[in-house]
Amino acid sequence: MLTPKHVLLFTPLAEELRRRGFETLLTARDFRETIGLLKVKGVEAVVLGSYGGGRLRDKLEASLKRSLLLAELLSDERPALSVSHGSPEAARASFGLQIPHISINDSPHAEAVARLTVPLSSLLLTPFVVPAEAWTRYGISRGRVKRYRSLDPLAWLKRRKFSAEPLEDLGLNPEKPIVAVRPEETYASYLLGLKDNSLTLKVIRGILGRVKGETQLVVLPRYEEQLKLLREEFGGEIFLVDRVLEASDLLKYCWIFVGGGGTMTTEAVLLGVPSFSYFPGKPTYTEKFLVKKGFIERVTDPEKLARRVEETLARIDSVRLSQQRKVERLVSTFEDPVKFMADVLAGIARRFGG
C-alpha cells in the first residue's frame, strides 16, 4: 500500500479473501497519509521503507530500498501471489522470485509506474472506463487485462458507515454551505514538470473571493509541505484538515467538491456531491467518463472555476438532487469491485498452491 487509496481498497479486499479462507499479509511504505489512515482504521501492516518525495533521485533510491526489503519479506513468506496497485517494487521483487504478481490499476497516465509494473504482472485488473489498449502498449497481452464494471471507490463506499465526527472536529456546521478543495498531486512522477502549488492557491483565492456569507471552505492537503503553505497563505480564512481522516466522512456532508485530480473526486461523485476538476494534466480515463456523463465539470481556469462554484451554490438544491439521482442510476449498473477482485485472486492463488 503506497497511498491512502490503497489502504481503502486493500483493507476490504483482504477481509474478503480472509473470509474465503486465505491468509493475507498487508505491507505499506512510510508515507504521511498512508500510515495515518492505517492507524485511523486500526489496520496492521508491515511497513517497508519510505516515500521518496518530489526529487527523481530520491524517488529512485527509496524505490530500490523498498524493493530489497520486499524481496526479503517475499523470500521468507513465499506467498501464492502478490497484489499491488501499481507498485514497481512489488512487481519487480515478485517477478525476480517467480511469485505471480497481480496489478490493480486505473491510471495508465502514470507512465513511469505502468512501464515498471505492467510487463512484470501476470494479470492486470482495471475499471471498465479504461480500454485494454491503454495497457497493452506497456507490454501486456490483451488476454491478461481483466476489466470490471465499476469504479474503485465503490469498494469502500458501499461498506462505509459514515460518521459526522470530522465536521465536529473542524467546527463545521452541516446546515451551512461546505465547499471542499483537494490540491493536485504535485509530487507524482506524471506531474513533476508541473510541480507548482500556485494553481491550488489561485483556485482557493478565487473561491474565497466569490463565495460570501456563511460558506465554509475546507481544504484537504496531501503533504506536510502543502499543509504548511496553506496555513501561511490563508490562516483562518479556510478550514484546514491537518490530520489524516477517512475523507468520505467529510465529503458526504459537502455541498460542492473541487478536486485537483485523483480518487477523492470520484469518491465525491459517487456520494452524489456536485463536483469540479481542475486537474492540471490531461484528463484521465475516469475523469473523461465522468465529465461525459455529466458528473464532473472540468474547469482549469481559477477565475472561471470560482464563478462556476458561486453559480452552483446559488441553485444547489436542484443541482444536488439531480446529481444524486444520476449517481443512483449509474451505481445500479456497477458490480462490487471487491468481489470481482477476490474471485480472480482466489482462482489464481488456488492454481498456484495457495
Side-chain angles (χ1 to χ4, degrees), residues 210-224:
R210 283 279 182 174
V211 298
K212 308 294 182 184
E214 300 178 326
T215 300
Q216 305 158 99
L217 184 61
V218 186
V219 185
L220 301 95
R222 296 172 183 267
Y223 307 103
E224 290 291 346

Side-chain angles (χ1 to χ4, degrees), residues 51 137 166 217 266:
Y51 176 57
R137 68 190 183 97
L217 184 61
T266 308

Side-chain angles (χ1 to χ4, degrees), residues 77-93:
E77 296 291 337
R78 297 304 307 181
L81 64 125
S82 72
V83 187
S84 80
H85 195 288
S87 166
E89 301 78 35
R92 178 67 185 93

Side-chain angles (χ1 to χ4, degrees), residues 45-61:
V46 178
V47 180
L48 302 172
S50 60
Y51 176 57
R55 294 176 60 240
L56 288 176
R57 173 64 182 267
D58 294 338
K59 285 180 177 290
L60 175 60
E61 290 185 357

Side-chain angles (χ1 to χ4, degrees), residues 71-320:
E72 182 178 358
L73 180 73
L74 292 172
S75 294
D76 292 340
E77 296 291 337
R78 297 304 307 181
L81 64 125
S82 72
V83 187
S84 80
H85 195 288
S87 166
E89 301 78 35
R92 178 67 185 93
S94 301
F95 183 81
L97 294 170
Q98 295 186 328
I99 295 169
H101 175 262
I102 312 304
S103 185
I104 300 171
N105 204 325
D106 62 352
S107 305
H109 61 277
E111 183 177 349
V113 168
R115 292 174 66 182
L116 293 169
T117 57
V118 173
L120 303 182
S121 299
S122 300
L123 208 62
L124 189 145
L125 313 183
T126 195
F128 73 105
V129 297
V130 183
E133 292 74 18
W135 297 114
T136 54
R137 68 190 183 97
Y138 290 116
I140 190 170
S141 67
R142 190 185 183 92
R144 290 194 287 140
V145 178
K146 305 296 181 184
R147 300 160 75 213
Y148 46 93
R149 184 165 181 79
S150 195
L151 297 175
D152 289 351
L154 190 64
W156 57 89
L157 292 178
K158 76 188 309 289
R159 294 168 169 80
R160 180 75 181 141
K161 294 181 180 179
F162 297 98
S163 167
E165 185 178 337
L167 298 184
E168 299 168 9
D169 291 347
L170 290 166
L172 292 165
N173 184 346
E175 300 301 320
K176 297 178 180 179
I178 299 174
V179 177
V181 177
R182 175 68 160 174
E184 68 267 36
E185 176 68 273
T186 49
Y187 291 157
S189 59
Y190 54 87
L191 287 180
L192 279 181
L194 303 171
K195 191 177 73 175
D196 182 359
N197 287 296
S198 64
L199 179 57
T200 288
L201 299 183
K202 290 176 183 176
V203 166
I204 294 172
R205 285 197 191 99
I207 295 174
L208 286 173
R210 283 279 182 174
V211 298
K212 308 294 182 184
E214 300 178 326
T215 300
Q216 305 158 99
L217 184 61
V218 186
V219 185
L220 301 95
R222 296 172 183 267
Y223 307 103
E224 290 291 346
E225 295 87 347
Q226 287 179 338
L227 177 61
K228 181 181 177 181
L229 177 61
L230 291 165
R231 185 177 285 124
E232 291 173 350
E233 289 284 331
F234 300 105
E237 293 184 87
I238 63 175
F239 292 83
L240 193 57
V241 180
D242 59 2
R243 64 180 180 85
V244 177
L245 48 74
E246 288 214 46
S248 57
D249 284 345
L250 178 57
L251 297 179
K252 185 172 177 62
Y253 296 94
C254 288
W255 293 31
I256 291 178
F257 179 80
V258 179
T263 302
M264 208 173 285
T265 304
T266 308
E267 279 187 276
V269 166
L270 294 180
L271 288 169
V273 180
S275 301
F276 295 87
S277 171
Y278 67 95
F279 179 58
K282 293 180 179 179
T284 66
Y285 284 104
T286 299
E287 183 176 277
K288 284 191 285 188
F289 170 80
L290 294 174
V291 167
K292 181 179 179 180
K293 295 295 183 179
F295 293 104
I296 293 176
E297 187 173 340
R298 179 175 167 84
V299 187
T300 56
D301 176 76
E303 184 177 340
K304 181 180 178 182
L305 176 56
R307 186 169 64 251
R308 289 294 298 123
V309 169
E310 180 186 30
E311 293 168 352
T312 304
L313 280 174
R315 53 189 184 89
I316 191 62
D317 290 340
S318 62
V319 174
R320 279 202 296 185

